[in-house]
Amino acid sequence: MLLRPFRVSIFFALLTGILLSVAANSQKAPAPKIDFAHEVLPVLKAHCFQCHSGAQKQGGLSLDSRALILKGGVSGASMVPGNGSKSLLVMRALGQGGKARMPLGFAPLPDAQITLLRTWIDQGADWPETTTKKHWAYVRPVRSKLPKVSNAAWIRNPIDAFVLARMERAGLKPSAEADRITLLRRVTLDLTGLPPTPAEVDAFLADRAPNAYAKVVDRLLASPHYGERMALPWLDAARYADSNGFQQDGDTYQYIWRDWVVNAYNSNMPFDQFTIQQLAGDLLPNATEDQKIATGFNRCHLLNGEGGAIAEEQRNVILFDRVDVTATTWLGATLACAQCHDHKYDPLTQRDYYSMMAFFNNVPESGTPPFGGQYRIAEPAMLTAGEDDKAKLKAFEEQISRAKSEAATYTQTHSADIDKAWRAWAETALKDVPQAPGLDAWQAVGPFPAASFDATYDMAFPPESVVNDGKLHWNAHPEWADGKVYQLDGENSAFYLTRVIRAASPQSLALSFGSDDGIKVWLNGKQIVADKALRAALPDQDKVTVALQPGANVLLVKIVNGGGIGGFYFKATTQTIPASIVQDWKDLPTTSRPVAASQRIRDYYLASFPPPELKAQQEKLAALIKERDTYRTTLPRVMIMSDAMPRKMHILDRGNYEMPRDEVQADTPGSLGPLPPDAPHNRLGLAQWLVGAGNPLTARVQVNRLWQTFFGKGLVKTSENFGTQSEPPTHPELLDWLAVEFRESGWDVKHIVRLMVSSAAYRQSSKISPLLRQRDPENKLLARGARFRLPSLFLRDVALVSSGLLDARLGGKPVYPYQPKGIWDGLAITNERDFTYPQSKGADLFRRSLYTFWRRTVAPSNMFDASVRNTCKVRLTVTSTPLHALTTLNDVTWVEAGRALAERVIKEAGSSPDSRLTEAFRRVCARRPAPEELLILRRGLNRALAAYRADPKAAEAYLHAGESPRDPKLDPAEHAAYASVCLAIYNLDEALTRE
């Protein structure tokens, strides 16, 4: 008995020893090998390179290579390979040795990152030579071999082999596949931006075929809504908007290009053609209208219409923008950093920058849009027309052709009479008189002196016309109908000029206005120019032709917002006989070509003094042409690209357009490879180079952006920057495999999309285990599905389609859905146009968010997380700010959708509250609510119903949200109660996220 405790103690002593030995052995186990490129380099870039890389060598220390770190700076070698604790790099990060803790002026490195650096140095500070020779993104991708994995049964396509291999190296396993409803909702939202309908959910659940999911993917890729969804990130990259920004923010017709993008995605246009047409469609042989429209990509820039804007400066700003957008969108390169100097981190020089800019320098543009009117379209632009418009224009052309034929038939039939008439006229008008009788005089009214009229007359207001009270006075001519006294209003800067023009016979008179002012013109009491700003930098520009009657003609000109007296002039010219016609007559007896000379005189006579019947035909023709031209002005004009104005390109000293230096030719960045030998040195050559086999970046950048679309973030998180300051790819072999697959598939976008959304990696559940939360909180290793908030444009569309309000038409003019009252009031800075928000009516209120009018200066308020569309943006923005909740809980769009969804389920889902609530939940979240969730919804319904029964006026007020009709037969209290619960469903976390 005495020995038993002793034996027990021995047993525990032995057990303790064994455990201590195991613990000791485990402590001595070597740490996993540190991956320099994916673990150490990102730390150095994020915290150290700003002061110790490239040209920045604070303390003489550069961290750009292993050799430079070993060399160190003024304090000596920065590391001792094999001994991290004795390395200056670690000591300074810890603040040891009495020195300031690095990084200086910033937060200290986290302990985990310091441990990482110490362990890396302990392991010998391995720094693969490839990371110092050439950055991975600048090396042409090659198709990696599929890695071997332990769990091969999990793999559905090659993507999964790379994802699983990375997981297994980290000791992780993939998550289970998401349930079928979650998976269907995920892929439907990802490929169309809309939720699945209950019928689509039921059909998928009932289809137990092995390829049931593949059939869903094919159906969604064939949906016209696929193109609408895929266009959204491209519009962000292209900085697309429906106005040009800055003062007065004139509207444009760039929605024509937006529709081109949607159609290109729906038709699965190969990405190389998608690229070439957008960058250089106008330069293709026999370019079609669609190919020219495609070039609107590079006309989506801002246009500065401010009065003080310098045109050439703004033209260069536009060029800078094009270089940045092209480099970011296709190359993932921060080329804009080289605008003023060579890039500090990437092999991109200032010469590279301006050589790239030279590709875009031949566009015949001034840099500023024209003044006046709602639309500010800067040339070059192209008139576009829909099928109905084309049919109407064709009808106009046919009528004009018939009218011309009738006039030609008349002149041919009456040829002898016409010959006799024009010769008789010529004998009188051309033999002795050098020109036809014209206008006899200008007759001034009021204090203006009379002046004789010859061919031209320039009028500036004399100083003595200003009286002491600061107003210019004169009496209106008695023949002027209203008999008012017009005056210069010093406050509004509006003044009037009256002239009497006497004509000996019916005459046409060309008026040319030279002013920065708004002009209105009346002739004999009839307004002929209304609210038009006419400019005449040259005397013969901006002519307005008026028809004068014999005798006195009263001309009234109103000058609005003039820049002071004397800043205005106008010029008038009579319809004189051209000197060439007089000379033809004189040369007829001796000319070697009397027939041609006679024909010119004959044509001039018929145009100026036609017989009555011919004049009627000419007037009919002129009216048809005017009607056609007026109709054409109502059609959209999309801004496009052109190389019609060759210009020299110079390096600009620090980007200053007034300080040109060396001339450069259009070329690609030297570090990324030259243009092919047979490629033209224009935009077409640039586009071909971008999608050429030798370009290392374009395919990588594009598949990374597609991956970002479906997994929340790219394999390279910094999707706008693939340079040395970027985050390295989490799966570099997968990125390269996808890039090569994309190119070798013929740049087939739908093929790559299908691969991604069909992969086992994509189909994983997004539920996060404690292990994954600890080991991989950012899901870099893709051991679970991605879960993220839906973009605001999606949330609005989900509300519209689930409630039954959505108008699913494709394409067309932008629409004006609900916005807060007075949202555009700040734009009313001119009396030239009304900036009241023109809210749409009827079905236009419920079109997809893609079609909402996007004013640059005041973006749609309920699109709270979208880009401002002023600059290129290629990385997704995810937000959960209070603005998000304020919008989805209070915006009329969601409140109305809740009311419409309530009416729908009351009518269609039976009389049971549970069946109605279940149907509402399904339409938003796709699945049926769990019993405990249904209980919560029913309690909410009962509380709301009691409140609205007690306050009928509140129920009525709640149901008046929005302009869609509601059924007056429904009980208001019941309807409002269901509406409030439906609004709550729209605001569930599950409804606001993709999962």
Side-chain angles (χ1 to χ4, degrees):
M1 294 295 294
L2 294 175
L3 293 176
R4 185 173 299 169
F6 177 73
R7 290 173 180 172
V8 172
S9 64
I10 292 176
F11 170 76
F12 278 108
L14 290 172
L15 179 60
T16 301
I18 292 171
L19 293 175
L20 290 173
S21 176
V22 170
N25 289 334
S26 66
Q27 290 175 356
K28 294 178 182 178
K33 183 71 174 178
I34 301 297
D35 186 329
F36 171 79
H38 293 91
E39 297 179 89
V40 177
L41 187 58
V43 175
L44 297 178
K45 287 181 178 179
H47 302 285
C48 310
F49 276 12
Q50 184 173 350
C51 298
H52 300 288
S53 178
Q56 305 297 324
K57 299 178 183 179
Q58 300 296 324
L61 173 62
S62 174
L63 304 179
D64 286 331
S65 70
R66 187 176 190 273
L68 290 173
I69 295 179
L70 288 172
K71 179 181 178 182
V74 296
S75 299
S78 295
M79 68 180 180
V80 181
N83 193 340
S85 297
K86 296 296 184 180
S87 294
L88 193 60
L89 188 67
V90 175
M91 295 173 66
R92 294 300 301 274
L94 289 168
Q96 296 175 346
K99 301 288 186 179
R101 189 169 186 177
M102 294 293 169
L104 195 64
F106 296 92
L109 266 65
D111 292 343
Q113 293 185 353
I114 296 175
T115 300
L116 177 73
L117 292 176
R118 182 192 296 116
T119 305
W120 171 65
I121 297 173
D122 286 342
Q123 295 176 349
D126 180 50
W127 188 314
E129 189 178 354
T130 54
T131 61
T132 57
K133 275 190 172 182
K134 198 170 187 179
H135 182 56
W136 63 267
Y138 304 141
V139 179
R140 182 183 173 187
V142 295
R143 189 187 290 273
S144 308
K145 293 183 179 179
L146 298 186
K148 294 181 179 180
V149 295
S150 299
N151 185 16
W154 184 75
I155 295 175
R156 290 184 178 273
N157 68 37
I159 288 175
D160 299 322
F162 294 102
V163 173
L164 184 58
R166 184 74 179 88
M167 273 191 268
E168 290 181 346
R169 286 203 304 272
L172 297 177
K173 295 180 180 180
S175 297
E177 182 169 294
D179 66 83
R180 287 171 69 86
I181 296 178
T182 297
L183 187 57
L184 179 65
R185 185 173 186 266
R186 177 190 298 174
V187 73
T188 305
L189 284 167
D190 277 353
L191 294 184
T192 66
L194 302 172
T197 65
E200 290 170 343
V201 173
D202 293 341
F204 182 55
L205 293 177
D207 189 351
R208 309 310 299 179
N211 66 338
Y213 179 75
K215 290 189 288 185
V216 167
V217 172
D218 289 342
R219 171 176 60 81
L220 295 173
L221 289 175
S223 167
H225 300 307
Y226 164 80
E228 293 177 313
R229 186 268 174 272
M230 296 298 289
L232 287 173
W234 196 258
L235 299 189
D236 282 343
R239 71 286 194 227
Y240 166 81
D242 295 299
S243 72
N244 51 37
F246 294 102
Q247 182 181 3
Q248 301 178 18
D249 204 8
D251 299 353
T252 68
Y253 294 102
Q254 292 308 100
Y255 69 85
I256 302 295
W257 171 81
R258 174 249 288 157
D259 288 350
W260 181 92
V261 174
V262 173
N263 293 333
Y265 274 113
N266 276 334
S267 65
N268 199 29
M269 178 182 288
F271 186 80
D272 58 343
Q273 291 303 310
F274 188 70
T275 294
I276 289 170
Q277 292 191 29
Q278 288 187 86
L279 289 179
D282 59 304
L283 300 179
L284 292 170
N286 302 313
T288 65
E289 180 177 297
D290 271 0
Q291 289 169 340
K292 293 177 182 178
I293 289 172
T295 65
F297 173 89
N298 258 321
R299 297 304 307 283
C300 289
H301 50 74
L302 282 77
L303 276 168
N304 191 343
E306 294 177 334
I310 301 172
E312 183 61 12
E313 178 183 18
Q314 295 307 312
R315 192 183 72 83
N316 278 273
V317 168
I318 291 169
L319 291 176
F320 296 150
D321 173 71
R322 287 191 188 126
V323 173
D324 183 32
V325 171
T326 303
T328 302
T329 302
W330 276 274
L331 299 173
T334 55
L335 187 57
C337 295
Q339 180 179 327
C340 300
H341 50 70
D342 292 350
H343 202 295
K344 289 185 177 181
Y345 305 110
D346 292 320
L348 301 169
T349 67
Q350 193 179 20
R351 180 172 291 272
D352 288 335
Y353 182 90
Y354 288 98
S355 295
M356 177 76 86
M357 191 161 137
F359 286 113
F360 304 104
N361 196 35
N362 300 327
V363 183
E365 58 188 341
S366 67
T368 58
F371 285 82
Q374 175 181 351
Y375 290 90
R376 306 290 175 87
I377 309 301
E379 296 296 334
M382 184 180 74
L383 189 73
T384 61
E387 293 304 317
D388 291 343
D389 295 323
K390 289 178 180 178
K392 194 162 185 176
L393 287 174
K394 183 180 179 181
F396 273 128
E397 297 301 336
E398 291 173 349
Q399 295 176 62
I400 290 170
S401 179
R402 284 196 297 269
K404 289 180 178 179
S405 179
E406 290 171 0
T409 300
Y410 177 88
T411 56
Q412 184 176 5
T413 304
H414 299 82
S415 179
D417 294 338
I418 291 172
D419 284 343
K420 183 178 179 180
W422 80 256
R423 290 183 183 279
W425 166 81
E427 285 287 347
T428 302
L430 301 180
K431 186 174 183 180
D432 299 318
V433 182
Q435 63 180 34
L439 308 179
D440 57 359
W442 282 99
Q443 290 191 354
V445 179
F448 297 100
S452 61
F453 179 82
D454 184 14
T456 65
Y457 183 75
D458 292 336
M459 181 62 212
F461 298 105
E464 58 269 19
S465 299
V466 181
V467 296
N468 294 331
D469 63 356
K471 296 181 179 180
L472 177 67
H473 297 267
W474 66 90
N475 293 323
H477 189 275
E479 294 184 41
W480 181 247
D482 59 17
K484 292 181 180 178
V485 175
Y486 297 100
Q487 64 183 24
L488 170 64
D489 185 331
E491 181 178 348
N492 296 324
S493 297
F495 53 94
Y496 297 78
L497 171 66
T498 304
R499 285 288 180 268
V500 174
I501 307 172
R502 297 189 182 278
S505 60
Q507 296 282 330
S508 60
L509 176 69
L511 301 178
S512 180
F513 296 85
S515 173
D516 288 344
D517 313 318
I519 305 295
K520 291 184 179 181
V521 181
W522 292 262
L523 179 67
N524 296 328
K526 180 180 179 182
Q527 192 170 35
I528 56 175
V529 175
D531 294 324
K532 186 174 183 181
L534 298 172
R535 293 173 177 265
L538 298 175
D540 292 332
Q541 289 184 345
D542 296 320
K543 285 185 178 179
V544 175
T545 301
V546 298
L548 303 179
Q549 300 302 318
N553 295 264
V554 181
L555 183 73
L556 175 70
V557 181
K558 178 184 180 183
I559 304 98
V560 181
N561 211 13
I565 298 173
F568 170 83
Y569 75 85
F570 70 86
K571 165 187 169 180
T573 57
T574 59
Q575 187 182 42
T576 57
I577 299 176
S580 60
I581 297 298
V582 178
Q583 191 62 41
D584 280 343
W585 174 253
K586 292 179 179 180
D587 289 348
L588 270 180
T590 59
T591 183
S592 59
R593 299 193 329 176
V595 175
S598 298
Q599 187 63 47
R600 284 193 293 269
I601 300 172
R602 185 178 191 269
D603 291 343
Y604 177 81
Y605 171 78
L606 286 177
S608 303
F609 310 102
E613 188 173 345
L614 180 58
K615 183 178 181 180
Q617 293 172 340
Q618 290 175 341
E619 290 175 347
K620 176 183 176 182
L621 175 61
L624 285 170
I625 292 174
K626 182 178 180 180
E627 188 177 358
R628 178 203 62 187
D629 293 345
T630 300
Y631 183 74
R632 285 167 64 93
T633 63
T634 67
L635 301 179
R637 294 174 61 239
V638 61
M639 292 184 287
I640 60 173
M641 294 289 280
S642 167
D643 273 5
M645 188 178 289
R647 295 184 178 95
K648 291 183 178 181
M649 187 74 245
H650 295 267
I651 296 174
L652 303 181
D653 190 8
R654 300 201 64 80
N656 187 338
Y657 76 100
E658 293 181 314
M659 299 175 66
R661 288 171 22 206
D662 297 346
E663 183 179 348
V664 295
Q665 304 301 319
D667 207 350
T668 55
S671 60
L672 301 181
L675 287 171
D678 57 343
H681 281 253
N682 57 17
R683 283 181 288 109
L684 181 57
L686 171 65
Q688 293 168 343
W689 171 80
L690 285 170
V691 293
N695 190 300
L697 283 167
T698 300
R700 278 190 179 115
V701 169
Q702 301 313 314
V703 296
N704 188 67
R705 296 246 302 279
L706 288 173
W707 189 274
Q708 174 183 260
T709 299
F710 306 117
F711 289 86
K713 56 177 174 281
L715 295 168
V716 177
K717 184 178 180 180
T718 52
S719 50
E720 75 284 356
N721 182 8
F722 272 48
T724 59
Q725 294 296 98
S726 68
E727 289 204 13
T730 56
H731 299 72
E733 296 85 3
L734 172 58
L735 180 64
D736 284 3
W737 188 93
L738 285 169
V740 176
E741 179 71 13
F742 189 29
R743 190 178 65 235
E744 294 185 354
S745 71
W747 299 94
D748 188 333
V749 176
K750 285 188 177 181
H751 169 66
I752 298 299
V753 170
R754 184 181 285 105
L755 276 175
M756 290 180 180
V757 301
S758 299
S759 66
Y762 175 84
R763 295 169 65 164
Q764 293 178 97
S765 169
S766 63
K767 294 179 180 178
I768 182 170
S769 66
L771 176 64
L772 289 179
R773 188 184 300 278
Q774 179 186 9
R775 295 280 301 278
D776 188 19
E778 294 186 38
N779 198 26
K780 291 183 177 181
L781 302 182
L782 302 172
R784 56 186 169 89
R787 185 178 188 274
F788 48 85
R789 284 286 181 102
L790 290 173
S792 58
L793 282 77
F794 281 35
L795 293 176
R796 179 177 174 275
D797 292 351
V798 167
L800 292 178
V801 71
S802 59
S803 64
L805 291 173
L806 181 71
D807 181 339
R809 286 176 293 158
L810 265 69
K813 296 180 179 179
V815 293
Y816 303 84
Y818 304 118
Q819 291 289 311
K821 185 178 180 180
I823 190 170
W824 285 4
D825 284 356
L827 294 175
I829 56 176
T830 173
N831 59 7
E832 184 178 306
R833 58 178 297 198
D834 181 8
F835 271 102
T836 303
Y837 183 76
Q839 182 175 302
S840 295
K841 301 293 182 183
D844 281 353
L845 282 170
F846 310 113
R847 299 205 62 199
R848 291 198 68 173
S849 300
L850 171 72
Y851 303 115
T852 296
F853 184 92
W854 203 283
R855 183 165 296 291
R856 287 193 203 272
T857 46
V858 186
S861 64
N862 55 15
M863 314 264 180
F864 43 81
D865 58 357
S867 67
V868 294
R869 299 277 176 83
N870 287 342
T871 57
C872 173
K873 177 184 173 184
V874 294
R875 201 194 304 197
L876 293 176
T877 298
V878 179
T879 179
S880 56
T881 65
L883 182 61
H884 189 151
L886 287 170
T887 299
T888 54
L889 280 168
N890 297 281
D891 188 276
V892 65
T893 298
W894 277 266
V895 177
E896 180 182 32
R899 172 176 63 75
L901 177 58
E903 180 173 329
R904 191 173 188 181
V905 298
I906 290 172
K907 291 181 176 180
E908 299 176 7
S911 58
S912 164
D914 283 1
S915 63
R916 291 174 175 177
L917 293 171
T918 296
E919 182 66 10
F921 194 91
R922 288 187 73 200
R923 289 189 176 277
V924 180
C925 299
R927 67 177 179 87
R928 297 176 183 275
E932 59 271 22
E933 293 170 325
L934 188 58
L935 178 61
I936 295 172
L937 293 174
R938 197 183 314 121
R939 287 174 179 169
L941 174 66
N942 292 336
R943 284 196 299 269
L945 186 59
Y948 286 128
R949 294 269 188 231
D951 190 354
K953 291 184 178 179
E956 285 291 345
Y958 187 71
L959 294 175
H960 275 89
E963 297 192 7
S964 61
R966 67 184 181 94
D967 191 343
K969 297 178 182 178
L970 297 182
D971 174 30
E974 182 183 44
H975 190 181
Y978 274 102
S980 66
V981 175
C982 289
L983 180 62
I985 292 174
Y986 282 131
N987 281 273
L988 293 174
D989 183 67
E990 182 175 347
L992 298 171
T993 62
R994 200 185 63 167
E995 299 295 295

